[in-house]
Amino acid sequence: MRKFTKITAICGVFAAVMAAGSALAADFSTHKTAVLYYTLLHNRVGGDDFAAEHSVGNTENIANIIAEQTGADKFELQQTELYPNSYDETVDIAKEEQERNARPALKSVPDLSAYDVVFMGFPCWWGSYPMAFATYFDSVDLSGKTIVPFTTHGGSRFGHSIQDLKAALPQSTIVEGLAVRDRDAQDADISEDVTEFLNDLELN
């Protein structure tokens, strides 16, 4: 009898924890959700060691997990002109593009007009998003949408990209996002971190 009571108590605690977790979780079933992402792997000339070892980019991997766990539709930003194979050359070009407020041409402009929640993923370059997003923002109207940013980074986390997003999208709601170290983005257990982030995410 004592054993039964103990098990019942444990089950009760477990149920309470699960209920609390559910209360925090974002209810994506009430939203039309999209994942828009940019990954360097698909925007540079191939041939380096990373490309040889990976078929999926760092930011792309996080985007895939979010889309799978939320049921969101997935869209990718790709430039018409690729960055060079050398990573060092690429980051130098990215810095120059930021300095001159460049607008790289895109292969396509995803239509997100039907969505009210947009997960927006990018590598953090020089403290902000790639300028391909600036091109995109000039081409679309994201007013009234909730933007959930996520980034892969080498140590800077979001840098000043959140402030830049708020400045570029003043009619959108920018909520707290997810920052993932580059070295962790392909780990087998990264999906657990993404799950925790999604469960803690609160959307209006």
Side-chain angles (χ1 to χ4, degrees):
M1 181 68 175
R2 185 178 304 169
K3 183 177 180 181
F4 177 80
T5 302
K6 185 176 181 181
I7 293 174
T8 302
I10 291 173
C11 290
V13 171
F14 179 76
V17 170
M18 291 300 291
S22 298
L24 291 173
D27 184 5
F28 296 101
S29 66
T30 63
H31 298 280
K32 182 66 173 174
T33 307
V35 178
L36 176 70
Y37 72 95
Y38 177 105
T39 196
L40 178 57
L41 185 65
H42 299 163
N43 285 282
R44 66 189 293 194
V45 177
D48 63 353
D49 291 339
F50 183 91
E53 297 175 2
H54 299 84
S55 60
V56 175
N58 286 336
T59 310
E60 180 183 17
N61 192 51
I62 306 302
N64 289 343
I65 296 170
I66 292 174
E68 179 180 356
Q69 295 193 13
T70 64
D73 295 325
K74 192 173 58 175
F75 303 88
E76 182 177 4
L77 285 186
Q78 289 186 284
Q79 299 175 199
T80 57
E81 184 174 346
L82 298 178
Y83 289 115
N85 177 45
S86 167
Y87 181 79
D88 290 339
E89 288 183 46
T90 295
V91 295
D92 287 343
I93 294 172
K95 183 177 183 180
E96 184 270 334
E97 287 178 337
Q98 281 192 15
E99 290 173 346
R100 64 183 176 87
N101 202 24
R103 295 295 189 272
L106 301 176
K107 289 184 178 180
S108 64
V109 178
D111 180 9
L112 303 182
S113 58
Y115 301 88
D116 63 293
V117 175
V118 179
F119 287 87
M120 193 170 289
F122 49 86
C124 188
W125 291 350
W126 301 102
S128 194
Y129 46 75
M131 294 307 292
F133 275 94
T135 304
Y136 184 74
F137 297 153
D138 286 350
S139 307
V140 299
D141 182 7
L142 299 178
S143 298
K145 301 186 186 301
T146 297
I147 307 298
V148 186
F150 62 97
T151 188
T152 53
H153 64 94
S156 63
R157 295 183 62 82
F158 278 106
H160 50 81
S161 59
I162 300 300
Q163 297 93 310
D164 295 341
L165 282 173
K166 290 179 178 179
L169 305 172
Q171 302 303 316
S172 301
T173 300
I174 314 296
V175 304
E176 184 177 353
L178 174 67
V180 178
R181 286 293 298 259
D182 291 338
R183 66 190 181 199
D184 300 328
Q186 303 274 351
D187 285 354
D189 60 353
I190 190 61
S191 62
E192 297 176 10
D193 295 335
V194 176
T195 299
E196 182 178 356
F197 164 70
L198 293 173
N199 285 341
D200 289 340
L201 185 62
E202 295 184 5
L203 301 176
N204 293 328

